[in-house]
């Protein structure tokens, strides 16, 4: 039949659909065992779009899409993915985030590169290896542990997608419970002793600031933003 929209990489045949895309400097073609119906054509076009996206990001693997193809085995053997490369790709994929969040993720990635090794093949990072690394690291707090896992999960989710999602070695590695401490406010006596010490040893303006904070209950950022026009002296 040879029908298909130009530029989509999809060709409709008598009883199947053939897709094509540029990979490693050459045009490759694979046949999908699907009848050339309109819904299947749209599915094939989305498939080619996803393949092209992964090729551009450097995360495409033949076996993810065409496990029965002769190219699948040779492709994975010839080009093993390293953790450092995968982690860098994940950071690049976070470009739309706020700078502060992106910087936080970048710090977590540096930590994981140190713990897991930049040149370690991703295939060697099994669930057992990851669980041992996560569990043996001396985390400063459960919150730090959980925040670092956000990045690690994202990295492996980039690798284990589609048909390989069930093989993700991060499955079962859970967050630690964060125990929130109950507020422990100062007593009236403690407050007065602090204010008396401030008045004795510091400029009166320092005492005035803390006295205002204590008796109004306002947060520091609220006090900083406060203007005379905001105060009703009536």
């Amino acid at each position: 039949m040879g029908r298909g929209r130009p530029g989509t990489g999809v060709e409709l045949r008598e009883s199947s659909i053939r897709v094509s895309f540029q990979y490693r400097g050459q045009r490759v073609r694979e046949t999908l065992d699907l009848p050339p119906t309109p819904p299947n054509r749209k599915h094939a076009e989305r498939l080619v779009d996803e393949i092209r996206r992964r090729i551009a990001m450097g995360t495409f693997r033949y076996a993810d899409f065409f496990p029965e193809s002769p190219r699948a085995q040779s492709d994975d053997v010839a080009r093993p993915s390293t953790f450092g490369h995968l982690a860098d790709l994940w950071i690049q994929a976070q470009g739309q985030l706020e700078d502060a969040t992106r910087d936080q993720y970048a710090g977590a990635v540096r930590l994981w590169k140190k713990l897991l090794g930049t040149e370690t093949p991703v295939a060697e990072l099994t669930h057992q290896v990851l669980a041992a690394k996560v569990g043996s690291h001396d985390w400063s707090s459960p919150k730090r542990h959980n925040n670092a896992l956000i990045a690690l999960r994202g990295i492996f989710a980039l690798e284990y997608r589609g048909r390989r999602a069930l093989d993700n070695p991060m499955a079962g590695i859970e967050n630690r419970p964060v125990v929130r401490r109950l507020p422990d406010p100062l007593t009236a006596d403690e407050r007065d002793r602090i204010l008396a010490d401030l008045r004795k040893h510091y400029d009166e303006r320092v005492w005035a600031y803390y006295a205002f904070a204590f008796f109004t209950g306002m947060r520091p950022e609220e006090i900083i933003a406060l203007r005379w026009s905001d105060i009703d002296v009536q």
Side-chain angles (χ1 to χ4, degrees), residues 118-187:
T118 301
E119 298 301 320
T120 305
V122 173
E124 293 183 7
L125 296 173
T126 63
H127 174 81
Q128 292 89 337
V129 171
L130 293 175
K133 288 291 184 180
V134 171
S136 62
H137 184 67
D138 185 17
W139 300 100
S140 58
S141 69
K143 190 174 188 300
R144 177 75 187 278
H145 167 275
N146 297 344
N147 287 343
L149 284 187
I150 293 174
L152 193 61
R153 290 191 183 106
I155 292 168
F156 280 93
L158 189 63
E159 176 76 5
Y160 292 89
R161 298 176 64 87
R163 299 174 183 175
R164 301 179 66 224
L166 294 177
D167 298 326
N168 191 327
M170 285 297 295
I173 298 180
E174 306 293 342
N175 286 353
R176 290 185 178 178
V178 177
V179 179
R180 298 187 181 277
R181 297 178 61 183
L182 295 175
D184 183 22
L186 299 174
T187 65

Coordinates of all heavy atoms in Angstrom, one line a residue, residues 118-187:
T118 N 29.9 7.1 38.8 CA 29.5 7.7 37.5 C 29.5 6.7 36.4 O 28.7 6.7 35.5 CB 30.4 8.9 37.2 OG1 30.3 9.8 38.3 CG2 30.0 9.5 35.9
E119 N 30.5 5.8 36.4 CA 30.7 4.9 35.2 C 30.1 3.5 35.4 O 30.3 2.6 34.6 CB 32.2 4.7 35.0 CG 33.0 6.0 34.6 CD 32.4 6.6 33.3 OE1 32.0 5.9 32.4 OE2 32.3 7.9 33.3
T120 N 29.4 3.4 36.5 CA 28.7 2.1 36.8 C 27.6 1.8 35.7 O 26.7 2.7 35.6 CB 28.1 2.1 38.2 OG1 29.1 2.4 39.1 CG2 27.5 0.7 38.5
P121 N 27.6 0.7 35.0 CA 26.5 0.4 34.1 C 25.2 0.3 34.9 O 25.1 -0.3 36.0 CB 26.9 -1.0 33.5 CG 28.4 -1.1 33.7 CD 28.7 -0.3 35.0
V122 N 24.2 0.9 34.3 CA 22.9 0.9 34.9 C 22.4 -0.5 35.2 O 21.7 -0.8 36.2 CB 21.9 1.7 34.0 CG1 20.4 1.5 34.6 CG2 22.3 3.1 33.9
A123 N 22.7 -1.4 34.3 CA 22.3 -2.8 34.4 C 22.8 -3.5 35.7 O 22.2 -4.4 36.2 CB 22.7 -3.7 33.2
E124 N 23.9 -3.0 36.2 CA 24.5 -3.5 37.5 C 23.8 -3.0 38.7 O 24.1 -3.5 39.8 CB 26.0 -3.3 37.5 CG 26.8 -4.0 36.4 CD 28.3 -3.7 36.5 OE1 28.7 -3.1 37.5 OE2 29.0 -4.2 35.6
L125 N 23.1 -1.9 38.6 CA 22.4 -1.3 39.8 C 21.1 -2.0 40.0 O 20.0 -1.5 39.7 CB 22.3 0.2 39.6 CG 23.6 0.9 39.4 CD1 23.4 2.4 39.1 CD2 24.4 0.8 40.8
T126 N 21.2 -3.2 40.6 CA 20.0 -4.0 40.9 C 19.3 -3.4 42.1 O 19.8 -2.5 42.8 CB 20.4 -5.4 41.1 OG1 21.2 -5.5 42.3 CG2 21.1 -6.0 40.0
H127 N 18.1 -4.0 42.4 CA 17.3 -3.6 43.6 C 18.2 -3.8 44.8 O 18.2 -3.0 45.7 CB 16.0 -4.3 43.6 CG 15.3 -4.1 44.9 ND1 14.5 -3.0 45.1 CD2 15.2 -4.8 46.1 CE1 13.9 -3.0 46.3 NE2 14.4 -4.1 46.9
Q128 N 18.9 -4.9 44.9 CA 19.7 -5.3 46.1 C 20.8 -4.2 46.3 O 21.0 -3.8 47.4 CB 20.3 -6.7 46.0 CG 19.2 -7.8 46.0 CD 18.7 -8.1 44.6 OE1 18.7 -7.3 43.7 NE2 18.2 -9.3 44.5
V129 N 21.4 -3.9 45.2 CA 22.5 -2.9 45.3 C 22.0 -1.5 45.7 O 22.6 -0.9 46.7 CB 23.3 -2.8 43.9 CG1 24.2 -1.6 44.0 CG2 24.0 -4.0 43.6
L130 N 20.9 -1.1 45.1 CA 20.4 0.2 45.5 C 19.9 0.2 46.9 O 20.1 1.2 47.7 CB 19.2 0.6 44.5 CG 19.7 0.8 43.1 CD1 18.4 1.0 42.2 CD2 20.6 2.0 43.0
A131 N 19.1 -0.8 47.3 CA 18.6 -0.9 48.7 C 19.8 -0.8 49.7 O 19.6 -0.1 50.8 CB 17.8 -2.1 48.9
A132 N 20.9 -1.5 49.4 CA 22.0 -1.5 50.3 C 22.6 -0.1 50.4 O 23.0 0.3 51.5 CB 23.0 -2.5 49.9
K133 N 22.8 0.5 49.3 CA 23.4 1.9 49.3 C 22.6 2.9 50.0 O 23.0 3.7 50.8 CB 23.6 2.3 47.8 CG 24.7 1.6 47.1 CD 26.1 2.0 47.6 CE 27.2 1.4 46.8 NZ 28.6 1.7 47.4
V134 N 21.3 2.8 49.7 CA 20.3 3.8 50.4 C 20.3 3.5 51.9 O 20.4 4.4 52.7 CB 18.9 3.7 49.8 CG1 17.9 4.5 50.6 CG2 18.9 4.1 48.3
G135 N 20.2 2.3 52.3 CA 20.1 1.9 53.7 C 21.4 2.1 54.5 O 21.3 2.4 55.7
S136 N 22.5 2.0 53.9 CA 23.8 2.2 54.6 C 24.3 3.6 54.7 O 25.2 3.9 55.5 CB 24.9 1.3 54.0 OG 25.1 1.7 52.7
H137 N 23.8 4.5 53.9 CA 24.2 5.9 53.9 C 23.8 6.6 55.2 O 22.7 6.3 55.7 CB 23.7 6.7 52.7 CG 24.3 8.0 52.7 ND1 25.6 8.3 52.4 CD2 23.7 9.3 52.8 CE1 25.8 9.6 52.4 NE2 24.6 10.2 52.7
D138 N 24.6 7.4 55.8 CA 24.3 8.1 57.0 C 23.6 9.4 56.7 O 24.2 10.5 56.5 CB 25.6 8.4 57.8 CG 25.4 9.0 59.1 OD1 24.2 8.9 59.6 OD2 26.3 9.7 59.7
W139 N 22.3 9.3 56.6 CA 21.4 10.4 56.3 C 21.3 11.4 57.5 O 21.1 10.9 58.6 CB 20.0 10.0 55.8 CG 20.1 9.1 54.6 CD1 20.0 7.7 54.6 CD2 20.3 9.5 53.3 NE1 20.1 7.3 53.3 CE2 20.3 8.3 52.5 CE3 20.4 10.8 52.7 CZ2 20.4 8.4 51.1 CZ3 20.5 10.8 51.3 CH2 20.5 9.6 50.5
S140 N 21.4 12.6 57.3 CA 21.3 13.6 58.4 C 19.9 13.7 58.9 O 19.7 14.1 60.1 CB 21.7 15.0 57.9 OG 20.9 15.4 56.8
S141 N 18.9 13.3 58.1 CA 17.5 13.3 58.6 C 16.6 12.5 57.6 O 17.0 12.3 56.5 CB 16.9 14.8 58.6 OG 16.8 15.3 57.3
P142 N 15.4 12.1 58.1 CA 14.5 11.4 57.2 C 14.1 12.3 56.0 O 13.9 11.8 54.9 CB 13.3 11.1 58.0 CG 13.9 11.0 59.4 CD 15.0 12.0 59.5
K143 N 14.0 13.6 56.2 CA 13.6 14.5 55.1 C 14.7 14.5 54.0 O 14.4 14.5 52.8 CB 13.3 15.9 55.7 CG 12.7 16.8 54.7 CD 12.4 18.1 55.4 CE 11.6 19.1 54.4 NZ 12.3 19.4 53.2
R144 N 15.9 14.6 54.4 CA 17.0 14.6 53.5 C 17.0 13.2 52.7 O 17.2 13.2 51.5 CB 18.4 14.7 54.2 CG 19.6 14.7 53.3 CD 19.7 15.9 52.5 NE 20.8 15.8 51.5 CZ 22.1 15.9 51.8 NH1 22.5 16.3 53.0 NH2 23.0 15.8 50.8
H145 N 16.8 12.1 53.4 CA 16.7 10.8 52.7 C 15.6 10.8 51.7 O 15.8 10.4 50.5 CB 16.4 9.8 53.8 CG 16.0 8.4 53.3 ND1 14.7 8.1 53.0 CD2 16.7 7.3 53.1 CE1 14.6 6.9 52.6 NE2 15.8 6.4 52.7
N146 N 14.4 11.3 52.0 CA 13.3 11.3 51.1 C 13.5 12.2 49.9 O 13.1 11.9 48.8 CB 12.0 11.6 51.9 CG 11.7 10.6 53.0 OD1 12.2 9.5 53.0 ND2 10.8 11.0 53.9
N147 N 14.0 13.4 50.2 CA 14.3 14.3 49.1 C 15.3 13.7 48.1 O 15.1 13.9 46.9 CB 14.8 15.6 49.6 CG 13.7 16.5 50.3 OD1 12.5 16.2 50.1 ND2 14.1 17.4 51.1
A148 N 16.3 13.1 48.6 CA 17.3 12.5 47.7 C 16.7 11.3 46.8 O 17.0 11.1 45.7 CB 18.5 11.9 48.5
L149 N 15.7 10.6 47.4 CA 15.1 9.5 46.7 C 14.2 10.1 45.5 O 14.0 9.3 44.5 CB 14.2 8.7 47.6 CG 14.9 7.7 48.5 CD1 13.9 6.8 49.3 CD2 15.9 6.8 47.8
I150 N 13.7 11.3 45.6 CA 13.0 11.9 44.5 C 13.8 11.9 43.2 O 13.4 11.5 42.2 CB 12.5 13.3 44.8 CG1 11.5 13.3 46.0 CG2 11.9 14.0 43.6 CD1 11.1 14.7 46.5
A151 N 15.1 12.3 43.4 CA 16.0 12.3 42.2 C 16.3 10.9 41.7 O 16.3 10.7 40.5 CB 17.2 13.1 42.6
L152 N 16.6 10.0 42.7 CA 17.0 8.7 42.3 C 15.8 8.0 41.6 O 16.0 7.3 40.6 CB 17.4 7.9 43.5 CG 18.2 6.6 43.2 CD1 19.4 6.8 42.3 CD2 18.5 5.8 44.4
R153 N 14.6 8.1 42.1 CA 13.5 7.5 41.4 C 13.3 8.1 40.0 O 12.9 7.4 39.0 CB 12.2 7.8 42.2 CG 12.2 7.0 43.5 CD 10.8 7.0 44.2 NE 10.8 6.3 45.4 CZ 10.8 6.9 46.6 NH1 10.7 8.2 46.7 NH2 10.8 6.2 47.7
G154 N 13.5 9.4 39.9 CA 13.3 10.1 38.6 C 14.3 9.5 37.6 O 14.0 9.3 36.4
I155 N 15.6 9.3 38.0 CA 16.6 8.8 37.1 C 16.3 7.5 36.6 O 16.4 7.2 35.4 CB 18.0 8.8 37.9 CG1 18.4 10.2 38.2 CG2 19.0 8.0 37.1 CD1 19.6 10.3 39.2
F156 N 15.8 6.6 37.5 CA 15.5 5.2 37.0 C 14.2 5.1 36.3 O 14.0 4.3 35.4 CB 15.6 4.2 38.2 CG 17.0 3.8 38.6 CD1 17.7 4.5 39.6 CD2 17.6 2.8 37.9 CE1 19.0 4.2 39.9 CE2 18.9 2.4 38.3 CZ 19.6 3.1 39.2
A157 N 13.3 6.0 36.6 CA 12.1 6.1 35.8 C 12.3 6.5 34.3 O 11.6 6.0 33.4 CB 11.1 7.1 36.4
L158 N 13.4 7.3 34.1 CA 13.8 7.7 32.8 C 14.3 6.4 32.0 O 14.1 6.3 30.8 CB 14.9 8.7 32.8 CG 15.2 9.4 31.5 CD1 14.1 10.2 30.9 CD2 16.4 10.4 31.8
E159 N 14.9 5.5 32.7 CA 15.5 4.3 32.0 C 14.5 3.2 31.9 O 14.4 2.6 30.8 CB 16.7 3.8 32.9 CG 17.3 2.5 32.4 CD 18.2 2.7 31.2 OE1 18.4 3.9 30.8 OE2 18.6 1.7 30.6
Y160 N 13.7 3.0 32.9 CA 12.7 1.9 32.9 C 11.3 2.4 32.6 O 10.6 2.7 33.5 CB 12.8 1.2 34.3 CG 14.1 0.4 34.5 CD1 15.2 1.1 35.1 CD2 14.3 -0.9 34.1 CE1 16.4 0.4 35.3 CE2 15.4 -1.5 34.2 CZ 16.5 -0.9 34.8 OH 17.7 -1.5 35.0
R161 N 11.0 2.5 31.4 CA 9.7 3.0 30.9 C 9.1 1.9 30.0 O 9.7 1.0 29.6 CB 9.9 4.3 30.1 CG 10.5 5.4 30.9 CD 10.7 6.7 30.1 NE 9.4 7.2 29.6 CZ 8.7 8.1 30.2 NH1 9.0 8.5 31.4 NH2 7.5 8.5 29.7
G162 N 7.8 2.2 29.8 CA 7.1 1.3 28.8 C 7.1 -0.1 29.3 O 6.7 -0.4 30.5
R163 N 7.5 -1.0 28.5 CA 7.5 -2.5 28.8 C 8.4 -2.8 29.9 O 8.3 -3.9 30.6 CB 7.8 -3.3 27.6 CG 6.8 -3.1 26.5 CD 7.2 -3.8 25.2 NE 6.3 -3.6 24.1 CZ 6.5 -4.0 22.9 NH1 7.6 -4.7 22.6 NH2 5.7 -3.7 21.9
R164 N 9.4 -2.0 30.2 CA 10.5 -2.3 31.2 C 10.1 -1.7 32.6 O 10.9 -1.8 33.5 CB 11.8 -1.8 30.7 CG 12.3 -2.4 29.4 CD 13.6 -1.8 29.0 NE 14.7 -2.2 29.9 CZ 15.6 -1.4 30.3 NH1 15.6 -0.1 30.0 NH2 16.6 -1.9 31.1
A165 N 9.0 -1.0 32.7 CA 8.7 -0.3 33.9 C 8.6 -1.3 35.1 O 9.0 -1.0 36.2 CB 7.3 0.4 33.8
L166 N 8.2 -2.5 34.9 CA 8.1 -3.5 36.0 C 9.4 -4.0 36.5 O 9.5 -4.6 37.5 CB 7.2 -4.7 35.5 CG 5.7 -4.4 35.3 CD1 5.0 -5.7 34.8 CD2 5.0 -3.9 36.5
D167 N 10.5 -3.7 35.7 CA 11.8 -4.1 36.1 C 12.6 -3.0 36.8 O 13.8 -3.2 37.2 CB 12.6 -4.5 34.8 CG 12.0 -5.7 34.1 OD1 11.5 -6.6 34.8 OD2 12.1 -5.7 32.8
N168 N 11.9 -1.9 37.1 CA 12.6 -0.8 37.8 C 13.1 -1.2 39.1 O 12.3 -1.6 40.0 CB 11.6 0.4 37.9 CG 12.3 1.7 38.4 OD1 13.3 1.7 39.1 ND2 11.7 2.8 37.9
P169 N 14.4 -1.2 39.3 CA 15.0 -1.6 40.6 C 14.7 -0.7 41.8 O 15.0 -1.1 42.9 CB 16.5 -1.6 40.3 CG 16.7 -0.6 39.3 CD 15.5 -0.7 38.4
M170 N 14.1 0.4 41.6 CA 13.7 1.3 42.7 C 12.4 0.9 43.3 O 12.0 1.3 44.4 CB 13.6 2.7 42.2 CG 14.9 3.4 42.0 SD 15.9 3.5 43.5 CE 14.9 4.6 44.5
A171 N 11.7 -0.1 42.7 CA 10.4 -0.5 43.3 C 10.6 -1.2 44.6 O 11.5 -2.0 44.8 CB 9.8 -1.5 42.3
G172 N 9.9 -0.7 45.6 CA 10.0 -1.3 47.0 C 11.0 -0.5 47.9 O 11.1 -0.8 49.1
I173 N 11.7 0.5 47.3 CA 12.6 1.3 48.2 C 11.8 2.5 48.6 O 11.5 3.4 47.8 CB 13.9 1.7 47.4 CG1 14.7 0.5 47.0 CG2 14.7 2.7 48.3 CD1 15.9 0.8 46.3
E174 N 11.4 2.5 49.9 CA 10.4 3.5 50.4 C 11.0 4.7 51.1 O 12.1 4.6 51.5 CB 9.4 2.7 51.3 CG 8.7 1.5 50.7 CD 7.8 1.8 49.6 OE1 7.4 3.0 49.5 OE2 7.5 0.9 48.8
N175 N 10.2 5.7 51.3 CA 10.6 6.8 52.1 C 10.6 6.5 53.5 O 10.0 5.5 54.0 CB 9.5 8.0 51.9 CG 9.7 8.7 50.6 OD1 10.6 8.4 49.8 ND2 8.8 9.6 50.3
R176 N 11.4 7.2 54.3 CA 11.4 7.0 55.8 C 10.3 7.9 56.4 O 10.0 9.0 55.9 CB 12.7 7.4 56.3 CG 13.8 6.5 56.0 CD 15.1 6.9 56.7 NE 16.2 5.9 56.4 CZ 17.4 6.1 56.8 NH1 17.8 7.1 57.6 NH2 18.4 5.2 56.5
P177 N 9.6 7.5 57.4 CA 8.6 8.3 58.1 C 9.3 9.5 58.7 O 10.3 9.5 59.3 CB 8.0 7.4 59.1 CG 9.1 6.3 59.4 CD 9.8 6.2 58.1
V178 N 8.6 10.7 58.5 CA 9.1 11.9 59.1 C 8.2 12.2 60.3 O 7.0 12.4 60.2 CB 9.0 13.1 58.1 CG1 9.4 14.4 58.7 CG2 9.8 12.8 56.8
V179 N 8.9 12.2 61.5 CA 8.2 12.5 62.7 C 8.2 14.0 63.0 O 9.3 14.5 63.2 CB 8.8 11.7 63.9 CG1 8.0 12.0 65.2 CG2 8.7 10.2 63.6
R180 N 7.1 14.6 63.0 CA 7.1 16.1 63.2 C 7.0 16.3 64.7 O 6.2 15.8 65.4 CB 5.8 16.7 62.5 CG 5.9 16.5 61.0 CD 4.7 17.3 60.4 NE 4.7 17.1 58.9 CZ 5.5 17.8 58.1 NH1 6.3 18.7 58.6 NH2 5.5 17.6 56.8
R181 N 8.0 17.2 65.2 CA 8.0 17.5 66.6 C 6.9 18.5 66.9 O 6.6 19.4 66.2 CB 9.4 18.2 66.9 CG 10.5 17.2 66.7 CD 11.9 17.9 67.0 NE 11.9 18.4 68.4 CZ 12.9 19.1 68.9 NH1 14.0 19.4 68.1 NH2 12.9 19.5 70.1
L182 N 6.3 18.2 68.0 CA 5.2 19.1 68.5 C 5.8 20.5 68.9 O 6.9 20.6 69.4 CB 4.5 18.5 69.7 CG 3.7 17.2 69.4 CD1 3.1 16.6 70.7 CD2 2.6 17.5 68.3
P183 N 5.1 21.5 68.7 CA 5.6 22.9 69.1 C 5.9 22.9 70.6 O 5.1 22.3 71.4 CB 4.4 23.8 68.8 CG 3.6 23.1 67.7 CD 3.8 21.6 68.1
D184 N 6.9 23.6 71.0 CA 7.3 23.7 72.4 C 7.5 25.2 72.7 O 8.7 25.7 72.8 CB 8.6 22.9 72.7 CG 9.0 22.9 74.1 OD1 8.1 23.2 75.0 OD2 10.2 22.7 74.4
P185 N 6.5 26.0 72.8 CA 6.6 27.4 73.0 C 7.2 27.8 74.3 O 7.2 27.0 75.3 CB 5.1 27.9 72.8 CG 4.3 26.7 73.3 CD 5.1 25.5 72.8
L186 N 7.8 29.0 74.3 CA 8.3 29.5 75.6 C 7.2 29.8 76.6 O 6.1 30.2 76.2 CB 9.1 30.8 75.3 CG 10.3 30.7 74.3 CD1 10.8 32.1 74.1 CD2 11.4 29.9 75.0
T187 N 7.5 29.7 77.8 CA 6.6 30.1 78.8 C 6.7 31.6 79.0 O 7.6 32.3 78.5 CB 6.9 29.5 80.2 OG1 8.2 29.9 80.6 CG2 6.9 27.9 80.1

